[in-house]
Amino acid sequence: MTGAGFKFDNTYLQLSEIFYTKILPAPVPKPELVILNAPLATELGLDFSNTSLDKQAELFSGNQMPETAEPFAQAYAGHQFGHFTMLGDGRAIAWGEHITPTDQRFDLQFKGSGPTPYSRGGDGRATLGPMLREYIISEAMQALNIPTTRSLAVVNHGEQVYRDTSLPGAILTRVARSHIRVGTFQFAALKEDKETIQALLDYTIKRHYPEIKEEQNKALFLLKAVIENQAELVTHWMRVGFIHGVMNTDNMSIHGLTIDYGPYGWIEDFDPNWTPNTTDANTLRYRFGHQPRIVLWNIARLLEAISPLVENRSILQEKINSAQDKMAHSHEKMWVNKLGLKQYDEELIQQLVELMYHDKVDMTMFFRLLSSLSKPELHQLEPA
């Protein structure tokens, strides 16, 4: 498959082996290409015009791999619904890091490619419906200018997967700037070894934030950059009424991407307490209106993980305060832009939110219709 234009440079494997396990995707009997994202392939500098559909299916099922790919599953930890646990890629395997003709670096990763050492008893497989669902939503988020992982291909692999009932199995190929998470730093912190944390921090800065590599206290500058990206990301979610549904720290990208499309949804009838995650129905931890607070909570966990690298611990509280300020500012700016205001009006926004909630207004339709209104004349505003 070298003719398609793959160019791998797998720098993640230069980290300690505690962060990953090299492993090949489990073979599948009868792969069939369901969809290929041709525009994304072009962006990546890949050309499959001379590759048969059968060979494409073999590639995107993992039965055949590019020669320079070095497949591996990542190890990480994380807080799931507030409870800390050891995790890792239970059904995902990275091909490696593909370098585009414009010298951009992207992870290519299978989802649903079979068990790994981190599967915790799972089969490592996925079903066709959710993989197509992620394909659609990630490309929709890209079109909405919301930072996100993307989807390159989906194949039906010819085996049935049991999820309450027997369903067709599938594999998604996901594309991301990287799959480094807050949970990756939490995993490093578990080793209680400053050199391990420092190595991950240096790697993350070199890959995602090279502009801060010469700073004296790189840990604090990385924290600042992550705060800015995460505040921007969750504000994007709030402006379109998107609910991630499972904002665990292992699903929080260090690069500020929307990652792991599981029980996501969009607000229809406006309700800040709504969540698409049925397993969260009692606590509502990841409800729509709580997302900015959860981002702050997750950032605090990142702060804890990198704190051994910070000599002046008192400054960490200042960073949390600055994260709160950044989130509030992004939130206010969002409302100013959505309503076309000159400045933020807290009383107006509060009244609007209460009315939308009381009348169960469809959020998307409301702002769509609002944008279609022409500027009223003064006489129209005068009492009858």
Side-chain angles (χ1 to χ4, degrees), residues 201 205 212 215-227 302-303 306-307 309-320 322:
L201 182 131
I205 289 174
I212 65 176
E215 298 292 344
Q216 185 173 1
N217 199 328
K218 292 185 286 187
L220 293 178
F221 277 90
L222 174 64
L223 189 62
K224 179 177 182 292
V226 172
I227 288 170
L302 174 62
L303 183 151
I306 66 175
S307 62
L309 305 180
V310 180
E311 293 183 5
N312 183 1
R313 297 295 179 87
S314 63
I315 202 170
L316 295 177
Q317 183 59 50
E318 295 179 16
K319 291 299 178 183
I320 289 296
S322 69

Side-chain angles (χ1 to χ4, degrees), residues 11-12 15 19 74-76 97 107 109 176-186 199-209 222 226 230 249-257 259 302:
T11 60
Y12 193 82
L15 288 170
F19 288 107
Q74 289 179 303
Y76 45 85
E97 302 152 34
D107 281 1
Q109 184 194 64
R177 289 287 185 180
S178 84
H179 288 85
I180 304 171
R181 317 148 191 267
V182 169
T184 314
F185 278 88
Q186 291 181 289
L200 179 61
L201 182 131
D202 290 342
Y203 176 79
T204 302
I205 289 174
K206 182 178 180 180
R207 183 162 179 179
H208 291 306
Y209 303 103
L222 174 64
V226 172
Q230 288 298 330
T249 54
D250 56 291
N251 292 334
M252 184 173 172
S253 161
I254 214 72
H255 186 60
L257 299 175
I259 188 171
L302 174 62

Side-chain angles (χ1 to χ4, degrees), residues 84-102:
F84 186 78
T85 186
M86 294 295 293
L87 298 163
D89 288 333
R91 58 173 180 169
I93 295 176
W95 309 23
E97 302 152 34
H98 168 68
I99 310 300
T100 73
T102 57

Side-chain angles (χ1 to χ4, degrees), residues 192-379:
E192 298 183 346
D193 175 21
K194 288 178 64 174
E195 290 186 3
T196 299
I197 305 171
Q198 186 71 58
L200 179 61
L201 182 131
D202 290 342
Y203 176 79
T204 302
I205 289 174
K206 182 178 180 180
R207 183 162 179 179
H208 291 306
Y209 303 103
E211 66 276 10
I212 65 176
K213 64 181 180 181
E214 301 300 331
E215 298 292 344
Q216 185 173 1
N217 199 328
K218 292 185 286 187
L220 293 178
F221 277 90
L222 174 64
L223 189 62
K224 179 177 182 292
V226 172
I227 288 170
E228 292 175 351
N229 279 343
Q230 288 298 330
E232 179 181 358
L233 177 63
V234 76
T235 300
H236 277 305
W237 292 353
M238 302 302 287
R239 74 173 170 83
V240 298
F242 176 79
I243 310 96
H244 185 278
V246 59
M247 292 174 64
N248 299 327
T249 54
D250 56 291
N251 292 334
M252 184 173 172
S253 161
I254 214 72
H255 186 60
L257 299 175
T258 310
I259 188 171
D260 191 10
Y261 290 99
Y264 71 85
W266 269 276
I267 287 290
E268 292 182 3
D269 293 347
F270 185 78
D271 182 0
N273 293 318
W274 185 73
T275 175
N277 191 340
T278 56
T279 61
D280 192 28
N282 291 327
T283 65
L284 299 178
R285 178 180 176 83
Y286 298 141
R287 63 192 182 272
F288 174 65
H290 203 224
Q291 291 182 127
R293 292 184 181 180
I294 290 297
V295 164
L296 293 172
W297 193 90
N298 288 347
I299 287 172
R301 306 290 78 75
L302 174 62
L303 183 151
E304 290 171 352
I306 66 175
S307 62
L309 305 180
V310 180
E311 293 183 5
N312 183 1
R313 297 295 179 87
S314 63
I315 202 170
L316 295 177
Q317 183 59 50
E318 295 179 16
K319 291 299 178 183
I320 289 296
N321 294 339
S322 69
Q324 293 172 336
D325 293 341
K326 177 66 178 178
M327 190 67 69
H329 177 73
S330 295
H331 181 78
E332 292 174 5
K333 185 178 178 181
M334 177 198 74
W335 280 111
V336 167
N337 291 336
K338 285 186 77 69
L339 295 174
L341 304 176
K342 291 184 178 180
Q343 61 185 20
Y344 182 69
D345 187 326
E346 184 175 3
E347 182 178 357
L348 174 66
I349 302 305
Q350 184 62 37
Q351 289 177 353
L352 174 61
V353 168
E354 290 176 358
L355 286 171
M356 290 173 65
Y357 177 62
H358 180 269
D359 292 334
K360 299 295 185 283
V361 171
D362 184 299
M363 179 176 173
T364 301
M365 291 302 297
F366 172 80
F367 285 104
R368 181 65 177 168
L369 291 171
L370 186 64
S371 68
S372 68
L373 296 178
S374 59
K375 184 177 180 180
E377 299 295 333
L378 288 177
H379 68 84

